[in-house]
Amino acid sequence: MIRVGSKYQHLIHNAGCGCLSPELVQASRRLDSLTRRGVLAGIGVALFGGSVSAQAQPAAAPSKLIFRQVRVFDGRSDSLRRGFQVLVEGGRIMAVDASNNPPPVDARVIDCSDRVLMPGLIDAHWHSLFAAVPAHVLVSGDPASIFTASTAEAQRTLLRGFTTVRDLGGPVFTFKQAIDSGIIPGPRIYPSGAMITTSGGHGDLRALSEVPRDGGQLSLGERFGGAMMVDGLGEIKMRVREQLLQGASQIKLVGSGGVSSPRSPLDMMTFSEADLKAAIDVVRDWNTYVTVHAYLPPAVRRAVAAGATCIEHAHMMDEETAALLAEKGVWLSIQPFLTQADAVPLTGPSLERMTQILAATPKAYELARKHGIKTAWGSDLLFSPELTPRQPVMLTHLSRWYSNAEVLRMATSVNAELMALSGPRNPYPGKLGVIEAGALADLLVLNENPLDDIAGLANPDKNLAVVMKDGRLFKNTLAA
């Protein structure tokens, strides 16, 4: 949730799993005094000051729209289905028709001329707010600049073909509402809210002057909403419940150290098994699931023993740990980090840790394939407008281990299965990631066939002819 005013002072989120930055602390100091009116003014500047291009403004959804002459990748198959037309009405797919009957007289028709129609892409590890806000903008603490950058990035994310993201750490609840209501163009967001960590754990960005903790007073890092630090069972349950009452669709717990947190090495452990289980029990009472940030085998195994549904990262897992994930049916949400170009520039211990992750990534994917682990794809790119365009490039990295059809399935129907585990907490009831009658109308029309060459996805400006989310056109280069 974007926290505003004296009660809601959380304008910026943590740098997630790979990009936590102490500069956020300085930014939060400057944001502390903002009023609710001031933040809303910042939103107004972002929305109406020219940051959103006309291309991303959705056309009013027609009552009926037909994509004619399409080759369909349905999100599940190994090949395209030819000679179809797809009818969209009221934000849903109403029919996938091979007979090509005459369209209803009141339907808008888009002739796709044998282009490929596929479901919108899903990123299972994203941080929606400020993904492209550079450090100097954060340090300035200017709400207009921050909201301009984050709003523009939401637009760009959508125009890259990502119609859904799972947000794994950040104050995005109000931002999500703005997207859902049509104020801001952007993808659907499955929010976690603040990630839950321990003192000294990944996400603890306190200055040393803030140690020891002053009673129950929140640190600056906690007040900006990226992470909450807990050190007892009562605190764990309270902070988890706070994210759920704000609208979290799933909860993220930190089970190990991270790459860029200054004082949390990769090999450290945070929560005990009892701690993790207490949080997981609360989340199960809310009928959704927990995903746990963990890199090394001991942290992964502890999370599995406590009942975690999903593990984030696990790049350094071993054979035994991979077999355990497969045996227990635990999801693996992992990012294909291959080179330093896949992360923001790092130095010192953080660079050393990222180097370890880069070296371990190929083996982690090989183990996931070997043991048949349920694997989701995410990019986890943050805090750089130069880096976020690599989001689809990161997806194409998967072709090193998977066929093109498997890559497309992972970023559509497979990731959609992970989103659906939020059950009653699912903010978007309905089928995502597939093209079939009744599914949500999040659709892409591509000029090139990604089953022939997956690399085409890395150039959305050239390759994406149509971007539709919830039955509304956000991009359309085809005559209709």
Side-chain angles (χ1 to χ4, degrees), residues 348-369:
S350 294
L351 177 58
E352 294 174 8
R353 297 171 200 166
M354 178 52 75
T355 301
Q356 290 180 271
I357 298 302
L358 295 174
T361 295
K363 182 180 178 182
Y365 273 99
E366 291 164 7
L367 289 172
R369 291 229 61 173

Side-chain angles (χ1 to χ4, degrees), residues 266-342:
L266 287 179
D267 62 290
M268 71 165 290
M269 306 277 277
T270 54
F271 293 112
S272 69
E273 184 178 328
D275 292 336
L276 292 169
K277 188 176 186 306
I280 290 168
D281 286 344
V282 169
V283 176
R284 285 176 175 168
D285 285 346
W286 278 71
N287 297 307
T288 184
Y289 73 96
V290 163
T291 190
V292 177
H293 161 111
Y295 279 105
L296 271 70
V300 174
R301 291 196 293 267
R302 181 177 290 182
V304 172
T309 298
C310 183
I311 302 296
E312 300 301 316
H313 311 307
H315 289 80
M316 302 178 75
M317 67 180 174
D318 55 18
E319 188 96 31
E320 178 185 358
T321 305
L324 178 66
L325 291 174
E327 175 190 348
K328 298 297 183 181
V330 176
W331 280 79
L332 172 63
S333 173
I334 185 171
Q335 303 73 45
F337 295 125
L338 295 183
T339 71
Q340 293 291 346
D342 293 329

